[in-house]
Amino acid sequence: MSKGLIVPNGRILVKEIVTERKSAGGVILTGESDPQNKARLGEVVSNSILVNNQPNDLYKVGGKLFFGKFAGASLTHEYEEYISLLESEIVAVVL
């Protein structure tokens, strides 16, 4: 968990994983420049989704998941960018 950040119950804190590609001409393309990229990939930093008063094992800290392009609330803490997501905004979990 990120030092100094606590997410309220029902939310997941993720750090986006940005992938870079090179075009045929050698130009570096980030994930945002890809119009086909409909979902973003993130790593779970903190999980407050509870099942029977226990953290949901599906969203383990360090695990990866996909979320919608416009999902979540962006925030910056200690020069790091994070996204706070609701469980309903998660598209898929990487197992």
Side-chain angles (χ1 to χ4, degrees):
M1 182 159 132
S2 176
K3 191 174 187 178
L5 284 180
I6 298 173
V7 289
N9 189 22
R11 289 201 165 264
I12 297 175
L13 191 66
V14 298
K15 185 170 178 143
E16 185 175 8
I17 300 170
V18 180
T19 58
E20 292 183 348
R21 297 177 296 118
K22 283 190 177 182
S23 68
V27 176
I28 296 175
L29 304 171
T30 63
E32 293 179 8
S33 63
D34 185 6
Q36 298 299 320
N37 190 7
K38 305 256 189 268
R40 300 185 289 174
L41 178 65
E43 180 178 353
V44 178
V45 176
S46 177
N47 173 15
S48 69
I49 295 178
L50 302 176
V51 176
N52 297 327
N53 291 329
Q54 298 294 323
N56 190 336
D57 289 337
L58 186 60
Y59 312 113
K60 294 181 182 178
V61 174
K64 294 185 174 112
L65 51 82
F66 287 96
F67 54 95
K69 191 169 190 170
F70 301 107
S74 298
L75 55 118
T76 304
H77 178 70
E78 295 181 358
Y79 307 105
E80 296 284 338
E81 296 286 329
Y82 299 99
I83 300 166
S84 178
L85 298 170
L86 292 170
E87 187 173 21
S88 61
E89 296 175 318
I90 296 169
V91 177
V93 177
V94 179
L95 299 177

